[in-house]
Structures are given as C-alpha cells and as structure tokens.
C-alpha cells in the first residue's frame, strides 16, 4: 500500500511533523510514503501565501526527509515530493528547484488560476469561462511531463449536471490518458464531504479509460491510520468499475 499525497505543518494548514506521518504509515502497513507538501513559489511580488511552505524552508524539508529515509529504511520507503500548481510565469523557477534538490516527484494540484497572487481559487463556484481555465491549466501542466499525477482533478466547483461540465472534463481526462497520468481519488475530500470526489467526474474517467490513484491528502498523521475511510473509498471506486493503480512516474 502506497500514498503520495502527504502534507506537514510547514504549509501552515496541516499539523504534525514528518516523523509522525512516517510512524503512522508504518503502523498502518504502508510500504511507501511520499511527502508532497505545498511547494513554495519565488514570487515576483510581495505576496505572502499562508497555505504553502516558505521558500527558505524547502532545504530543511528535503533534508528532514532524507534523514528519515535513512532512519526508517528497513521499515518503509520514503519519497520526497511537492504538490505544485501549473503557474506559467514560475515554471522555470520550479524546474530549477527540481534540478537543485533531490525531489523524487511532483503532483499537479491546481488550486489557483495562473498564480495565487491574483488568480481565482478553482474550488469556489465557477462560471463556464473559469471552468475552461481550470481545464486548460491542468492540460498545460500535464503536457509539461513534469508531474506524476493529477491531485483532486475534480476540485473545480461547477454544476456537474451541465453538459458543459462533461465536455470540459472529458478533455482533461483524454489528455491525462494520452500522457498516461493517473487521476487522484482524494480521501480528504471524501471524508469531509467536499464537492470532490465527484461521481460524475469519475464516470467520465471510466468512460475515457483513465487509471485512478488513491491519495490520502493527509493534513494530520492520523489520516494515515484511518483505514476505514481508505477501504470505503476503494470500494466506491471498485463499484464504479475504475482501474486502480499505485504506480507513478518519478523524476529521479
């Protein structure tokens, strides 16, 4: 059992440190645990985000995980990742970060349009134009080849009974399939009854033939101990007849 969507208190909206997550994962029987805390961005403005780690905390994050990887090497495999949006103006900086640090993978978690300095949050009710922006942003991110999977691809908040939703999300799913990129079933959203995971979206994914990966999206170490929610989520996906995977592409 593997999980690649894990946050820490460094992002200001999660609790517990890295080692507490590792211990919980071992207790639950995970064989591999990937950390994907919200990436910092090297903003060109004075904007300060309160939902991602600071740029000067990245080195400590990576070193902490390298130390834990060595400490627990006989009990669990630890992977170092980041959850990143597709922000066009900052992609060169992100590529440099991936070159400078031993990052194993990044996941595509598109929360904001273009940049959180000025862009809308995609998890609030959207109009048609904004839904299309979300889909286009995801597609552009997928096509970079940098990301390992799409986190909560159904985060976009739109009327799922509208045929336009089916049209746009079908486009997203088709590109994800073309690039062999899994789509995430988000356990945090499932457990807290958010607008995602969304059955309409996953029926589209089934029709297109996408592979689905379960992501805990742990914001506290106890989430990795909640095997009941994990099993319920897995059964939900199996009921819909979706193909599950735990395999992702690594950068290094």
């Amino acid at each position: 059992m593997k999980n690649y969507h894990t946050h820490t208190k460094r992002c200001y909206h999660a609790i517990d440190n890295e080692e507490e997550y590792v211990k919980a994962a071992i207790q639950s029987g995970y064989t591999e645990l990937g950390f994907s805390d919200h990436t910092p961005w090297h903003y060109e403005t004075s904007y300060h985000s309160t939902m991602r780690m600071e740029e000067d905390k990245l080195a400590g994050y990576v070193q902490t995980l390298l130390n834990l990887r060595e400490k627990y090497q006989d009990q669990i495999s630890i992977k170092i990742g980041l959850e990143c949006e597709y922000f066009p103006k900052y992609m060169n900086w992100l590529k440099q970060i991936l070159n400078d640090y031993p990052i194993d993978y990044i996941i595509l978690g598109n929360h904001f349009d273009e940049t959180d300095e000025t862009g809308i949050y995609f998890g609030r009710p959207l109009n048609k134009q904004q839904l299309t922006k979300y889909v286009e942003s995801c597609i552009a991110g997928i096509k970079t080849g940098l990301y390992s999977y799409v986190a909560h691809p159904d985060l976009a908040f739109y009327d799922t009974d509208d045929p336009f939703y089916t049209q746009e999300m079908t486009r997203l799913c088709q590109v994800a399939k073309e690039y062999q990129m899994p789509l995430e079933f988000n356990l945090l959203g499932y457990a807290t009854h958010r607008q995602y995971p969304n059955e309409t979206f996953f029926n589209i994914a089934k029709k297109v033939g996408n592979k689905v990966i379960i992501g805990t999206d742990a914001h506290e170490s106890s989430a990795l101990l909640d095997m009941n929610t994990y099993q319920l989520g897995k059964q939900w996906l199996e009921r819909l007849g979706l193909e599950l995977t735990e395999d992702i592409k690594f950068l290094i």
Side-chain angles (χ1 to χ4, degrees), residues 170-233:
T170 297
R171 290 202 299 124
L172 191 163
C173 290
Q174 287 172 337
V175 174
K177 183 181 180 184
E178 178 185 351
Y179 282 78
Q180 299 181 329
M181 185 171 292
L183 303 174
E184 181 193 72
F185 177 88
N186 188 276
L187 281 183
L188 176 61
Y190 180 73
T192 56
H193 308 291
R194 300 184 182 185
Q195 76 271 17
Y196 61 91
N198 180 271
E199 188 163 340
T200 298
F201 176 85
F202 280 100
N203 276 322
I204 295 168
K206 178 186 176 183
K207 185 176 181 180
V208 172
N210 297 102
K211 292 184 179 180
V212 176
I213 186 167
I214 296 175
T216 303
D217 198 358
H219 284 70
E220 55 189 13
S221 59
S222 61
L224 294 171
L225 300 174
D226 185 4
M227 288 295 98
N228 181 58
T229 297
Y230 180 92
Q231 291 301 329
L232 288 173

Side-chain angles (χ1 to χ4, degrees), residues 18-19 22 64-72 78:
E18 292 85 349
E19 188 162 18
V22 172
T64 297
L65 294 178
L66 288 172
N67 293 343
L68 290 172
R69 176 185 287 172
E70 182 177 0
K71 180 176 180 178
Y72 291 97
I78 295 175

Side-chain angles (χ1 to χ4, degrees), residues 105-250:
Y105 71 100
I106 60 175
I107 60 177
L108 178 60
N110 257 354
H111 302 89
F112 298 93
D113 179 27
E114 303 222 344
T115 167
D116 49 350
E117 295 158 281
T118 56
I120 63 165
Y121 175 55
F122 288 125
R124 296 197 178 111
L126 307 177
N127 59 34
K128 284 187 175 183
Q129 182 182 19
Q130 291 165 339
L131 178 63
T132 296
K133 279 189 172 184
Y134 173 77
V135 170
E136 291 290 348
S137 181
C138 287
I139 287 173
I142 292 169
K143 287 184 174 180
T144 66
L146 292 174
Y147 300 87
S148 295
Y149 74 75
V150 184
H152 40 64
D154 44 351
L155 170 112
F157 202 156
Y158 191 86
D159 179 8
T160 59
D161 292 328
D162 187 337
F164 188 73
Y165 180 86
T166 299
Q167 171 191 306
E168 293 300 276
M169 288 307 193
T170 297
R171 290 202 299 124
L172 191 163
C173 290
Q174 287 172 337
V175 174
K177 183 181 180 184
E178 178 185 351
Y179 282 78
Q180 299 181 329
M181 185 171 292
L183 303 174
E184 181 193 72
F185 177 88
N186 188 276
L187 281 183
L188 176 61
Y190 180 73
T192 56
H193 308 291
R194 300 184 182 185
Q195 76 271 17
Y196 61 91
N198 180 271
E199 188 163 340
T200 298
F201 176 85
F202 280 100
N203 276 322
I204 295 168
K206 178 186 176 183
K207 185 176 181 180
V208 172
N210 297 102
K211 292 184 179 180
V212 176
I213 186 167
I214 296 175
T216 303
D217 198 358
H219 284 70
E220 55 189 13
S221 59
S222 61
L224 294 171
L225 300 174
D226 185 4
M227 288 295 98
N228 181 58
T229 297
Y230 180 92
Q231 291 301 329
L232 288 173
K234 186 176 181 182
Q235 291 167 16
W236 191 92
L237 292 166
E238 290 171 344
R239 175 176 60 82
L240 292 182
L242 287 151
E243 182 180 356
L244 300 183
T245 186
E246 288 189 317
D247 297 325
I248 67 170
K249 175 191 72 175
F250 293 110

Side-chain angles (χ1 to χ4, degrees), residues 21-41:
Y21 286 93
V22 172
K23 289 178 177 179
I26 292 170
Q27 184 176 333
S28 289
Y30 283 92
T31 58
E32 188 157 84
L33 178 64
F35 285 84
S36 54
D37 218 347
H38 291 279
T39 188
W41 291 103

